[in-house]
Amino acid sequence: MGKIKVFILAAVAVIAIFFIAGAIQNSDRKPDEYTLIFEGDNKAEVWVDIAIQGEDGVMYLASMLLKDSAPTMRDVVETINNKNEGILIGMNDNGIITSVNECQNEKKHWNVYINNKRTSEQNIDAIQVSDYDGITLLYE
């Protein structure tokens, strides 16, 4: 069991490093046809990369432009849910991620990692995202 957890964390680290390196090289990013866009207050542009990793590996990868001065994980989740990307992220009334598609059970939970660090906050309304963050939703 310990080797599997180490392997999963290593995979998350590799994905995040890939996105961070790409962000540094492409500091003047422009949206393309695959970029998900969130329209908020339009006072700032925040680029994030997101990976969703379930029990069987990576389920989803995307780049997102959040046009908002104070974007949160809720903006990220709702943008994915509203764009019919084949991924549906479920949440409870407390803003805690409970499922991604059919991936849920009593023993494991969905955790949010930002730049390879697990967030202490579970409520996605309280998790702020910043420019060039690498976000990973990890089922563990």
Side-chain angles (χ1 to χ4, degrees), residues 8-27:
I8 290 172
L9 290 176
V12 170
V14 167
I15 290 169
I17 289 170
F18 172 77
F19 282 124
I20 291 169
I24 291 169
Q25 289 179 348
N26 298 316
S27 60

Side-chain angles (χ1 to χ4, degrees), residues 38 66 71-82 91-96 123-129:
F38 169 76
L66 302 155
T72 65
M73 271 302 297
R74 174 154 317 256
D75 301 327
V76 171
V77 167
E78 288 183 352
T79 300
I80 293 169
N81 283 348
N82 293 336
M91 299 163 284
N92 66 18
D93 293 336
N94 297 322
I96 297 172
N123 182 345
I124 62 171
D125 294 314
I127 301 172
Q128 296 288 318
V129 296

Side-chain angles (χ1 to χ4, degrees), residues 12-138:
V12 170
V14 167
I15 290 169
I17 289 170
F18 172 77
F19 282 124
I20 291 169
I24 291 169
Q25 289 179 348
N26 298 316
S27 60
D28 188 25
R29 292 172 78 171
K30 304 266 188 249
D32 62 18
E33 62 189 282
Y34 304 107
T35 304
L36 299 178
I37 299 175
F38 169 76
E39 296 284 345
D41 63 19
N42 284 312
K43 292 182 180 178
E45 289 190 351
V46 175
W47 282 92
V48 298
D49 295 302
I50 183 160
I52 300 175
Q53 185 169 339
E55 289 181 306
D56 298 326
V58 177
M59 300 169 63
Y60 182 74
L61 291 171
S63 289
M64 186 177 297
L65 173 59
L66 302 155
K67 295 182 177 182
D68 197 272
S69 57
T72 65
M73 271 302 297
R74 174 154 317 256
D75 301 327
V76 171
V77 167
E78 288 183 352
T79 300
I80 293 169
N81 283 348
N82 293 336
K83 297 295 182 181
N84 296 323
E85 293 287 302
I87 294 291
L88 181 61
I89 302 170
M91 299 163 284
N92 66 18
D93 293 336
N94 297 322
I96 297 172
I97 296 173
T98 57
S99 65
V100 175
N101 292 350
E102 301 297 322
C103 197
Q104 69 179 13
N105 70 34
E106 305 266 330
K107 295 179 182 177
K108 293 187 174 186
H109 303 282
W110 285 98
N111 293 303
V112 178
Y113 286 78
I114 297 182
N115 300 326
N116 290 329
K117 294 180 183 158
R118 184 173 167 180
T119 61
S120 58
E121 181 63 55
Q122 293 290 316
N123 182 345
I124 62 171
D125 294 314
I127 301 172
Q128 296 288 318
V129 296
S130 302
D131 206 17
Y132 299 114
D133 274 349
I135 300 167
T136 304
L137 298 182
L138 183 60

